Amino acid sequence: MANTDAPALRLEHITKRFGSVIANDDISMTVQHGQILSVLGENGSGKTTLMNMIAGIYYPDGGKIFVDGKEAVIRSPHDAFQYQIGMIHQHFKLVDLFTATENIILGLEDDGRYSLKKANQRVKEIVSQYGFRLDPEKKVYEMSVSEKQTVEIVKVLYRGADILILDEPTAVLTPQETDRLFAVLRKMRSEGKSIIIITHKLHEVLSLSDQVTVLCKGRYAGTVNTAETDEAQLTEMMVGRKVTLNIERSEPKDTVPRLTVEGLTVRSREGTDLLRNVSFEARSGEILGIAGIAGSGQRELLEAIAGLLRAEGKIVYHDPKTGKEENLRGRDPLEIRELGVRLSFVPEDRLGMGLVGNMDITDNMMLRSYRKGRGFFLERKAPKSLAEKIVSELEVVTPGVSTPVRRLSGGNVQKVLVGREIAAAPTVLMAAYPVRGLDINSSFTIYNLLNQQKERGVAVIFVGEDLDVLLELCDRIMVISSGAVSGIVDARAASKEQIGLLMTKNTASEGGAADGKA
Amino acid sequence: MAKHEHVREPLFHIAKRDTPAWWRAWGIRAIALVLALVVSGLVAFLLTGENPLKLYATMLEGAFGTSRRVWGLMQNLAMLLCVSVAVTPAFKMRFWNIGAEGQVLIGGLAAAACMILLGDSIPHGLLLLTVTVASIAAGALWALIPAVFRAKWQTNETLFTLMMNYIAIQLVSFFTYRFSVPKGSGQVGVINRATHAGWMPTLGKYDYLLNILIVLAVTVMMAVYLKHSKHGYELAVVGESESTARYIGIDVKKVIIRTMLISGAVCGIAGLLLVSGTDHTISRDTAAGRGFTAIMVSWLAKFDPVAMILTSFLIVFLEKGATEISTAFGLNDSFSEIITGIIIFFIIGCEFFIRYTVRFRRREGKSA
């Protein structure tokens, strides 16, 4: 029935608004059968919104969708499957206690009887057909992130999807896992499936896709053949103008130890090691990068240093003024401040930890300083002028300092947070994924701020996910793998592959009692 | 794919609005109120055959008809407002204190017990002081218990405070039996009727004026506490995000306990005003469900103590008016509850239309 000459999917003049924000403005695009199309755009450019409309999560305010040349009305994910469209979301939607197969057939209404055996068989067929690596009877809670993603992909294939949409699938993968995923996707393409992959990583776009559709601030910026384009052109389309992006890394000067961590171990409530025997030194005037697969203990490391998690081991702070040494372990954030330690921390969870989303910029400035003065009442003058200063110096786009920060865009939220932490004149500055979700310009603002702090003699600790950025920005890079240090390398000499290997290195044996339960 | 040929765009969809302008928000609220009156008038007409306008007039009459009724309205408003103000700091901290009923009762019980047991043995001034301190302390204690459990062992405060209500009610039952006059009647009767020992003084000839003034003062103090004090800031941060609070070194446990002590203490004040300032007796119904109604009042006012004057007025006015309708037209209590229910439904429901906009299908689907 399907007209095979027609494109697999065509969007015409799709528009979607959220309140007064236009997330997608008159977007048209086409995906052919047997094609991999990248949808490229900065965060907030409307990629995910557009894909959600194809997958039935949202309904467009205007425009039409055609599948195989026929107009399609997709009101729910169920409808989407009727049109053989399946989406793999960034955040997995799996039941931890179920096996891969149980998750895959969950919610599926087959005509026949429920047969787990048959389903297992079918899953195995799909797995071998495309060259996945997956045990259908493994439970989800025992799986690695990449296996969970595989379950999501197989789930969509099991339902017979011919058009697959993947939302930032590589964000959680190591370089090696990414290569494997791409191999599978190429295999699918050769079997005639259409694949749409959302990403903002340019080198992935160039290595994988046939065509690239670029969105810029909710609008369609054009479609190009991958073979005929390069990074510079794509960046220009994505940002809307020419950009030259360089991180200017200066040589570290007068480095002295500022923070010495020895044998730091953090255990979860259940008693498993989240961080195992971590030792390193952060020096003044230097950026120490921390690389690792997401969830390898980066967060725990920073939170333990900031006094938010109970830990074993030593965290010694060398005071630059008095020369005294203080052990920070076992002290809470307030005690650390009272010791005169100027430790600033930009946490990963900006609105959930670093800031209060429902409070305005002034009240968020006060988080660090509201205790000042002995009185019972708050003093809002100084925080207000600090808020105004940060808004003007960092070019925060906001109607005013009394706007709740949750209303600001991701980049502006981060500027407020980093601005506040830097205003405390730190001697140690820790930042966890400070550019996640930020557009290119805001990202470079943040890199520059970190570099300025380094030149001021601050010991900067930077947890990042983009290895290219880590290699360009940092002086040294510490790699952690499942809670233990797997190596510390010189960022000027190391390669991406070297770090990628360290990220997956099995560190269990070095940690000693790690797998003691065996 | 035949079954897809008739698909059409959904009839309407719902989209989130930006913060609407204040005039728009209040416009929507006004429309809701008018609609509520129209619908409740219609329902009343269909059920009773009475002229709706007459019903409205009866409502106003019931609330404002005589100066006694106005004072009664003000007194009820003050009591509801006091409990609403009491639960607000807890709610702002996202601590779901639904135990205000029990905290008020225990406060009242402490007041009554002091009045009965110490009535004749110590000077009146000292007794009044004792009554005041005892009821505030009792209310605070009743709130402290769930707060400590929540702070130390993460117990669920909703269930805990709810159960504390039942304990309070049973305690009051027990002591009304013990204190009852004559013995075994199960009713306490007016305490110290002759001596007025432990009664709050009246200002001039206005029985309720002192109560009202005290509640107003508490309301203003609470508004200032929440908005301009360091404590108020801390509890707001804890409410918004405990991890932010820990991140900046706020002692979350301390804040939870301190805030609940304040919440319970103000409930204790409400108990004091009810027992020592108004009823001069105690029974299981002394709090009269205000502990629960207060939750609605506080939410409707978006946790702003000053706005609560308005929302508690609305609730009290509806209660008074609807009761009057029932008596005037010889209907039972359920009828007044129906009317109150309809009006509150519209008032709360309109918040949805303030935050969201509903857009209907613009074009008919193409002919199939």
Side-chain angles (χ1 to χ4, degrees), chain A residues 71-83:
Chain A
E71 184 173 355
V73 177
I74 305 168
R75 284 181 290 195
S76 67
H78 186 77
D79 284 357
F81 276 120
Q82 300 282 340
Y83 292 107

Side-chain angles (χ1 to χ4, degrees), chain A residues 19-20 61 75 333 345 352-353 356 358 363 366-367 370-373 375-378 380 407 420-421, chain B residues 4 8-9 16 18-19 227-230 233-234 236 240-241 243-244 246-250 362 366:
Chain A
S20 63
D61 292 335
R75 284 181 290 195
F345 177 24
M353 184 179 252
V356 178
N358 282 329
D363 279 14
M366 237 159 42
L367 282 172
Y370 79 95
R371 289 190 190 85
K372 267 190 202 138
F376 181 74
F377 292 104
L378 293 168
R380 279 198 170 86
R407 293 250 190 80
R420 185 191 72 204
E421 291 303 296
Chain B
H4 287 291
R8 281 179 298 182
E9 189 183 339
K16 201 159 182 180
D18 268 5
T19 333
K227 203 154 182 199
H228 297 289
S229 78
K230 290 178 182 174
Y233 181 73
E234 283 178 347
E240 292 290 340
S241 153
S243 50
T244 306
R246 270 199 304 278
Y247 161 78
I248 56 164
I250 290 177
R362 287 140 304 168
K366 281 182 197 154

Side-chain angles (χ1 to χ4, degrees), chain B residues 10-247:
Chain B
L11 184 61
F12 60 85
H13 43 239
I14 292 161
K16 201 159 182 180
R17 266 190 228 267
D18 268 5
T19 333
W22 65 270
W23 54 267
R24 188 182 194 127
W26 284 100
I28 292 173
R29 287 189 188 116
I31 293 170
L33 195 65
V34 170
L35 278 178
L37 290 176
V38 169
V39 171
S40 55
L42 204 66
V43 168
F45 175 71
L46 290 176
L47 291 179
T48 66
E50 300 285 346
N51 177 359
L53 287 178
K54 229 169 105 193
L55 287 169
Y56 298 141
T58 315
M59 268 182 110
L60 286 172
E61 176 72 23
F64 303 114
T66 62
S67 78
R68 233 196 73 171
R69 282 183 182 164
V70 174
W71 278 111
L73 180 89
M74 301 274 280
Q75 155 73 9
N76 272 295
L77 194 163
M79 289 304 123
L80 183 59
L81 178 60
C82 188
V83 186
S84 310
V85 167
V87 295
T88 300
F91 278 180
K92 255 201 123 163
M93 197 178 60
R94 306 274 159 91
F95 183 106
W96 308 124
N97 176 19
I98 55 172
E101 188 85 1
Q103 290 147 26
V104 172
L105 266 181
I106 281 294
L109 179 63
C114 289
M115 286 159 74
I116 292 167
L117 299 174
L118 304 173
D120 303 320
S121 44
I122 58 173
H124 284 190
L126 186 62
L127 176 61
L128 191 58
L129 187 70
T130 316
V131 166
T132 307
V133 171
S135 46
I136 292 177
L141 173 75
W142 219 244
L144 174 70
I145 298 167
V148 168
F149 274 78
R150 159 71 194 272
K152 301 246 171 218
W153 298 289
Q154 310 288 314
T155 52
N156 180 319
E157 76 274 10
T158 316
L159 292 173
F160 206 127
T161 50
L162 184 66
M163 291 194 291
M164 292 295 283
N165 286 339
Y166 299 121
I167 301 176
I169 291 171
Q170 294 308 323
L171 279 176
V172 170
S173 294
F174 175 72
F175 281 104
T176 42
Y177 182 78
R178 282 292 297 269
F179 295 149
S180 60
V181 186
K183 268 255 168 288
S185 70
Q187 281 184 352
V188 176
V190 176
I191 305 164
N192 302 342
R193 187 194 293 274
T195 59
H196 286 202
W199 290 30
M200 303 237 309
T202 48
L203 297 182
K205 58 187 168 80
Y206 306 110
D207 280 348
Y208 301 139
L209 186 57
L210 184 62
N211 285 353
I212 293 165
L213 291 179
I214 290 175
V215 172
L216 267 182
V218 168
T219 305
V220 171
M221 276 160 56
M222 185 60 82
V224 173
Y225 178 80
L226 289 176
K227 203 154 182 199
H228 297 289
S229 78
K230 290 178 182 174
H231 287 184
Y233 181 73
E234 283 178 347
L235 74 88
V237 174
V238 170
E240 292 290 340
S241 153
E242 279 193 27
S243 50
T244 306
R246 270 199 304 278
Y247 161 78

Side-chain angles (χ1 to χ4, degrees), chain A residues 181-378:
Chain A
L181 172 69
F182 285 0
V184 170
L185 294 181
R186 288 193 189 99
K187 187 94 193 282
M188 288 182 196
R189 169 175 62 188
S190 66
E191 309 232 332
K193 304 227 182 258
S194 307
I195 292 158
I196 305 176
I197 170 167
I198 305 179
T199 179
H200 57 241
K201 294 185 186 164
L202 293 169
H203 60 270
E204 288 180 359
V205 171
L206 293 170
S207 75
L208 179 69
S209 57
D210 304 308
Q211 274 200 329
V212 192
T213 291
V214 186
L215 301 186
C216 172
K217 301 193 175 85
R219 289 186 192 189
Y220 175 75
T223 299
V224 288
N225 289 324
T226 312
E228 297 158 12
T229 188
D230 57 21
E231 287 201 18
Q233 190 198 1
L234 290 175
T235 314
E236 198 182 323
M237 286 170 78
M238 205 156 89
V239 183
R241 64 193 140 74
K242 256 200 161 51
V243 276
T244 45
L245 297 169
N246 284 308
I247 300 174
E248 293 197 7
R249 173 167 57 188
S250 57
E251 286 295 323
K253 275 189 300 207
D254 312 324
T255 56
V256 289
R258 179 62 43 82
L259 201 64
T260 312
V261 172
E262 275 172 40
L264 196 70
T265 297
V266 173
R267 291 207 173 83
S268 72
R269 226 170 258 221
E270 288 78 32
T272 51
D273 287 353
L274 299 172
L275 217 54
R276 196 163 357 97
N277 203 14
V278 170
S279 302
F280 69 95
E281 196 175 74
R283 301 175 193 146
S284 64
E286 183 192 76
I287 299 183
L288 173 69
I290 296 180
I293 303 169
S296 300
Q298 296 96 320
R299 205 183 87 204
E300 287 78 9
L301 176 61
L302 298 200
E303 290 188 1
I305 295 173
L308 298 170
L309 279 182
R310 198 175 294 175
E312 292 160 31
K314 256 178 157 179
I315 305 165
V316 179
Y317 173 75
H318 310 271
D319 197 306
K321 278 203 196 106
T322 61
K324 269 204 300 197
E325 294 189 352
E326 303 277 5
N327 190 357
L328 306 185
R329 189 190 63 82
R331 297 183 197 271
D332 68 30
L334 200 57
E335 290 169 337
I336 292 176
R337 308 212 108 214
E338 278 162 1
L339 280 175
V341 177
R342 301 191 151 207
L343 177 71
S344 280
F345 177 24
V346 178
E348 177 183 351
D349 187 359
R350 292 161 208 161
L351 288 176
M353 184 179 252
L355 300 166
V356 178
N358 282 329
M359 289 185 173
D360 64 21
I361 302 179
T362 303
D363 279 14
N364 270 295
M365 290 299 136
M366 237 159 42
L367 282 172
R368 278 283 185 223
S369 61
Y370 79 95
R371 289 190 190 85
K372 267 190 202 138
R374 316 213 70 202
F376 181 74
F377 292 104
L378 293 168

